[in-house]
Amino acid sequence: MKSDAALDQAAADHRETVHAVVETIRALDPSTWTQSREPGKWSPAQIAEHLRIAYDPPLAELSGGTGFAVRLPGWKRRLFRWIALPGFLRGRFPKGASAPREIRPTGQSESPEEAGRRLGEGAEVFLARLLEAERSGPVRLTHPYFGKLSALQIVKLLTSHARHHGAQFPEAASRTGP
C-alpha cells in the first residue's frame, strides 16, 4: 500500500536523523554538558532531554492515556495546520517559540552518553508502537497546536524537530542532515 511505504520511509528517515543526533550528543564535551551557550537558553543537556521527552505525550496517547493538551480552538488549529504545518514538516520552526509545557525539560541525563542512549531508545520505542498501532488502522495523535495528525505527519514532525534541535548542539550542523 502506498501510504504504508510513505510511513516506512518516514520512519527510516526518522531513525537516520535520530541516530545522527545521538552521535552528535555522544560527541559533546562533558565539561560543557550543563552550560548554556547564551543566557536564558537551554544547555545541551536540556536540549537532549527535550528531544527525549517529546515522545512521551504521543506514547501516552498511543497507550490510551492523555497526550498533549490542545491549546488552541478548533478554527485556529485548522488554520495552523494549513498555514504553519507545512513549514514545520520542512524544519522551519519559529525562532524563540516556547515548547509546550509537557515537553519542557525538568531534569536531564548525567552525561552525553546517557542522553544519547535514552534518546535513541525512546525514539525506537515510539516508532515500534506507532507502526504496530498503524497496522490495526489509521492512527491520529494530538499535537497541541495542530490538533489531530496522522502517523505520517507525526513522524515527519518529530524528524524535523530532531533536526531543528540537533543543529543547536555545538559542531552539529554537519551531522544532523539538512
Side-chain angles (χ1 to χ4, degrees), residues 146-170:
F146 300 126
K148 293 288 186 179
L149 298 177
S150 70
L152 179 61
Q153 289 171 315
I154 289 289
V155 171
K156 286 183 173 187
L157 188 59
L158 284 167
T159 302
S160 292
H161 184 250
R163 283 185 182 130
H164 167 73
H165 286 295
Q168 293 174 339
F169 293 114

Side-chain angles (χ1 to χ4, degrees), residues 6-99:
L7 183 56
D8 289 343
Q9 181 59 54
D13 291 345
H14 187 71
R15 283 185 178 102
E16 183 178 322
T17 297
V18 169
H19 176 74
V21 172
V22 164
E23 291 305 309
T24 298
I25 291 169
R26 287 180 171 155
L28 293 173
D29 181 351
S31 69
T32 61
W33 179 237
T34 59
Q35 297 173 6
S36 174
R37 293 189 311 178
E38 294 179 40
K41 299 293 183 183
W42 288 342
S43 69
Q46 290 170 312
I47 295 170
E49 181 66 5
H50 169 68
L51 285 169
R52 186 193 67 75
I53 63 177
Y55 297 100
D56 291 350
L59 270 170
E61 192 172 358
L62 279 170
S63 300
T66 304
F68 280 108
V70 175
R71 294 194 168 59
L72 299 175
W75 71 270
K76 277 190 178 178
R77 288 192 309 270
R78 286 187 294 280
L79 185 64
F80 269 47
R81 270 195 309 268
W82 183 64
I83 293 173
L85 183 59
F88 275 73
L89 293 176
R90 287 190 298 276
R92 290 196 310 260
F93 286 74
K95 188 169 178 67
S98 294

Side-chain angles (χ1 to χ4, degrees), residues 125-145:
V125 166
F126 170 74
L127 283 175
R129 289 192 186 159
L130 178 69
L131 295 172
E132 179 182 339
E134 184 75 9
R135 281 194 292 271
S136 300
V139 171
R140 298 191 57 77
L141 296 173
T142 307
H143 184 275
Y145 307 115

